[in-house]
Amino acid sequence: MQLDSASGWCDGVRHCPSPNFNARPEGEISLLVIHNISLPPAQFATGKVQEFFQNRLDVTEHPYFAGIADLRVSAHFLIERDGAVTQFVSCLDRAWHAGVSCFEGRETCNDFSIGIELEGTDDLPFTDAQYAVLVDLTRQLQKAFAAITVQRICGHSDIAPGRKTDPGPAFDWARYRAALTEGEEQ
């Protein structure tokens, strides 16, 4: 996996372009938002997240899908339980992942953030493969977008409190942050 900073696309990952994006306003990319998703809830490796982000989800397949049928959302990346990565939107474009949101007094976080979805739920532990890939991807994003410091990485729940709960209590922030800073002292 290698991020091409000129195009905003990663080489070596699956590309499933989503129609749910638009151009960013002028300005920096300075925030990374971690989410979780599974469709249907708590079911993994179904391919339904990809269909959802591409507006191809058959809403008759599961009762839960009726409630999300009219949503038009996306994220830049999805990291599945086995560590497989799918990219839906160029990092240079605005994915529709954060919704109504605010970080350090600045609203509309989609304007200046990158969204990474982890296949999972708030209360099930994420896999070692997911953490390893998340750390690698985060480091590449930080290299391409220097304003994304460790302090500017947050959960969806941090920018949309009361509305969103992901990545949830099962996400090990200490493990993730420690892995990101490992080797920085050298």
Side-chain angles (χ1 to χ4, degrees):
M1 171 174 59
Q2 183 65 44
L3 178 63
D4 176 3
S5 57
S7 70
W9 288 93
C10 271
D11 296 323
V13 304
R14 180 179 179 200
H15 292 174
C16 288
S18 172
N20 304 326
F21 76 95
N22 56 358
R24 290 184 189 274
E26 289 299 315
E28 83 291 347
I29 297 170
S30 62
L31 183 66
L32 179 60
V33 181
I34 309 297
H35 304 260
N36 78 50
I37 190 169
S38 54
L39 291 175
Q43 294 184 30
F44 307 129
T46 64
K48 300 305 174 191
V49 174
Q50 290 87 340
E51 291 175 12
F52 180 49
F53 286 171
Q54 292 186 305
N55 302 337
R56 296 187 299 110
L57 186 64
D58 181 349
V59 297
T60 65
E61 288 184 12
H62 191 277
Y64 181 81
F65 297 165
I68 62 172
D70 295 328
L71 296 180
R72 296 294 175 254
V73 297
S74 63
H76 293 91
F77 299 96
L78 168 69
I79 302 174
E80 295 181 63
R81 306 294 286 178
D82 64 0
V85 178
T86 302
Q87 185 172 5
F88 299 94
V89 175
S90 164
C91 294
L92 303 179
D93 288 319
R94 177 173 43 198
W96 301 344
H97 61 96
V100 176
S101 53
C102 182
F103 182 79
E104 294 183 348
R106 188 171 174 192
E107 295 185 356
T108 317
C109 294
N110 285 340
D111 288 354
F112 57 97
S113 68
I114 292 174
I116 299 177
E117 295 275 2
L118 298 174
E119 186 177 42
T121 69
D122 286 6
D123 53 2
L124 290 174
F126 296 92
T127 68
D128 291 342
Q130 286 178 299
Y131 283 108
V133 170
L134 178 61
V135 167
D136 180 29
L137 179 56
T138 301
R139 285 180 174 156
Q140 290 192 44
L141 292 168
Q142 289 178 309
K143 185 177 177 183
F145 308 105
I148 300 177
T149 62
V150 172
Q151 296 76 25
R152 295 187 64 84
I153 299 172
C154 65
H156 199 187
S157 58
D158 298 314
I159 61 170
R163 188 174 71 81
K164 294 295 180 177
T165 59
D166 58 312
F171 184 73
D172 191 340
W173 282 103
R175 174 184 179 172
Y176 173 52
R177 291 185 193 283
L180 282 178
T181 57
E182 197 173 275
E184 280 187 357
E185 309 80 35
Q186 301 170 352

